[in-house]
C-alpha cells in the first residue's frame, strides 16, 4: 500500500516548487504588472529678471517705480496706500528729476486721496504735497495745479466725515500758501455750488460756521 502511494507521486509530479529567496534582495515585479511610471522632461524657459526689466528706471529703496507706487495708492488696504505714499516721497528724494518729469501726472493721481477714509493716508498725502510736490510745481503754471486740486478739495469739504472735511481745509491752506494769486473768485463761486462760499470756507475752517 505504501509503495503504491510513492509510485503515484512520481507519476503525477510535484504540484509547485518553492523558490527560496535571499534575505534583502528586492523582488522582481510580477510579469503581469502594468508600468505606471510617467517620464517627463522639464521645459526650461528663459528667466526674466525683474531687476533687468527695471534697469535704468528710477526706483525707491524697495525697488518700486513711480508707476507701481501710484497704482498702489488706490489699493483697498490702507497700509498699502500709506506705504505707497512714503515710497513716492523716498523715490522723489532719491531722483528729483523723476518728480520734475512726472509732476502733473503725480498730482492728477494723488488728488484722489484728498478725501481718503484713512486719517494716516490723508496726513501722509498732506506732508507729501507740502514738502515735495507743491514746492516743485511752484515755478510752473500754477493754475494747472490749482485746477487739478480744487475740485477734489471742494468735494472733500462735503464729505460725510468731519475729519475729512476739516482736512480739506488744510489742503486749501496749502493752495493759498503756495499759489495765492491762482485762487481766483471763480473757485469761490464753485464753492457756493457745493454749499460753501469763500467766506463760508474760512468760517468752517475756524469752527465758526
Amino acid at each position: 500500500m505504501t509503495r503504491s502511494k510513492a509510485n503515484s507521486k512520481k507519476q503525477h509530479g510535484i504540484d509547485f516548487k518553492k523558490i527560496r529567496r535571499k534575505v534583502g534582495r528586492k523582488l522582481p515585479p510580477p510579469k503581469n504588472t502594468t508600468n505606471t511610471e510617467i517620464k517627463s522632461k522639464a521645459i526650461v524657459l528663459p528667466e526674466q529678471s525683474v531687476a533687468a526689466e527695471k534697469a535704468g528706471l528710477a526706483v525707491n529703496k524697495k525697488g518700486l517705480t513711480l508707476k507701481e507706487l501710484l497704482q498702489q495708492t488706490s489699493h483697498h488696504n490702507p497700509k498699502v496706500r500709506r506705504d505707497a505714499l512714503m515710497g513716492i516721497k523716498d523715490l522723489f528724494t532719491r531722483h528729483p528729476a523723476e518728480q520734475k518729469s512726472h509732476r502733473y501726472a503725480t498730482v492728477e493721481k494723488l488728488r484722489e486721496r484728498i478725501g481718503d477714509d484713512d486719517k494716516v493716508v490723508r496726513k501722509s498725502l498732506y506732508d507729501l504735497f507740502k514738502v515735495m510736490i507743491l514746492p516743485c510745481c511752484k515755478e510752473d503754471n500754477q493754475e494747472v495745479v490749482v485746477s487739478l486740486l480744487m475740485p477734489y478739495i471742494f468735494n472733500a469739504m462735503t464729505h460725510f466725515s468731519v475729519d475729512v472735511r476739516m482736512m480739506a481745509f488744510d489742503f486749501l491752506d496749502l493752495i493759498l500758501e503756495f499759489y495765492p494769486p491762482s485762487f481766483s473768485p471763480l473757485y469761490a463761486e464753485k464753492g457756493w455750488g457745493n454749499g460753501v462760499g469763500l467766506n463760508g470756507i474760512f468760517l468752517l475752517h475756524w469752527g465758526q460756521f
Side-chain angles (χ1 to χ4, degrees), residues 54-60 63-67 91 94-95 98:
K54 295 182 179 180
L57 298 178
V59 296
N60 69 342
L64 298 175
T65 63
L66 178 60
K67 181 180 179 180
L91 188 147
R94 294 167 179 263
H95 307 280
E98 186 77 359

Side-chain angles (χ1 to χ4, degrees), residues 23-42:
V23 178
R25 177 176 292 182
K26 187 177 180 181
L27 297 176
K31 294 181 179 180
N32 61 345
T33 302
T34 303
N35 185 7
T36 58
E37 182 182 358
I38 300 175
K39 294 182 179 181
S40 60
K41 293 184 178 180

Side-chain angles (χ1 to χ4, degrees), residues 10 31 54 61 141 189 195:
K10 288 181 180 180
K31 294 181 179 180
K54 295 182 179 180
K61 62 182 179 181
N141 186 347
E189 295 175 6

Side-chain angles (χ1 to χ4, degrees), residues 89-100:
K89 184 177 181 180
D90 175 65
L91 188 147
F92 286 166
T93 302
R94 294 167 179 263
H95 307 280
E98 186 77 359
Q99 178 185 0
K100 195 71 175 175

Side-chain angles (χ1 to χ4, degrees), residues 6-146:
N7 292 334
S8 176
K9 286 183 179 180
K10 288 181 180 180
Q11 291 176 1
H12 293 287
I14 301 174
D15 292 340
F16 64 91
K17 185 177 180 181
K18 186 176 181 180
I19 301 175
R20 294 185 179 181
R21 304 188 184 279
K22 293 183 179 180
V23 178
R25 177 176 292 182
K26 187 177 180 181
L27 297 176
K31 294 181 179 180
N32 61 345
T33 302
T34 303
N35 185 7
T36 58
E37 182 182 358
I38 300 175
K39 294 182 179 181
S40 60
K41 293 184 178 180
I43 300 175
V44 181
L45 297 176
E47 295 183 359
Q48 295 182 346
S49 173
V50 176
E53 291 179 357
K54 295 182 179 180
L57 298 178
V59 296
N60 69 342
K61 62 182 179 181
K62 293 185 178 180
L64 298 175
T65 63
L66 178 60
K67 181 180 179 180
E68 292 171 327
L69 291 166
L70 289 175
Q71 289 175 344
Q72 290 181 4
T73 59
S74 299
H75 198 274
H76 63 87
N77 189 322
K79 186 179 184 306
V80 176
R81 300 199 298 272
R82 298 172 209 159
D83 292 344
L85 292 172
M86 296 301 295
I88 292 173
K89 184 177 181 180
D90 175 65
L91 188 147
F92 286 166
T93 302
R94 294 167 179 263
H95 307 280
E98 186 77 359
Q99 178 185 0
K100 195 71 175 175
S101 301
H102 304 285
R103 55 193 181 280
Y104 294 134
T106 301
V107 171
E108 189 172 6
K109 180 61 179 176
L110 293 184
R111 63 182 180 171
E112 300 172 1
R113 305 270 63 83
I114 291 177
D116 197 280
D117 294 333
D118 187 83
K119 182 178 181 180
V120 180
V121 171
R122 295 195 305 272
K123 183 62 170 63
S124 299
L125 180 69
Y126 175 85
D127 293 339
L128 183 60
F129 268 103
K130 183 175 183 178
V131 176
M132 306 207 74
I133 295 178
L134 294 184
C136 177
C137 301
K138 197 170 183 179
E139 304 301 325
D140 299 334
N141 186 347
Q142 299 180 1
E143 292 184 0
V144 174
V145 178
V146 174

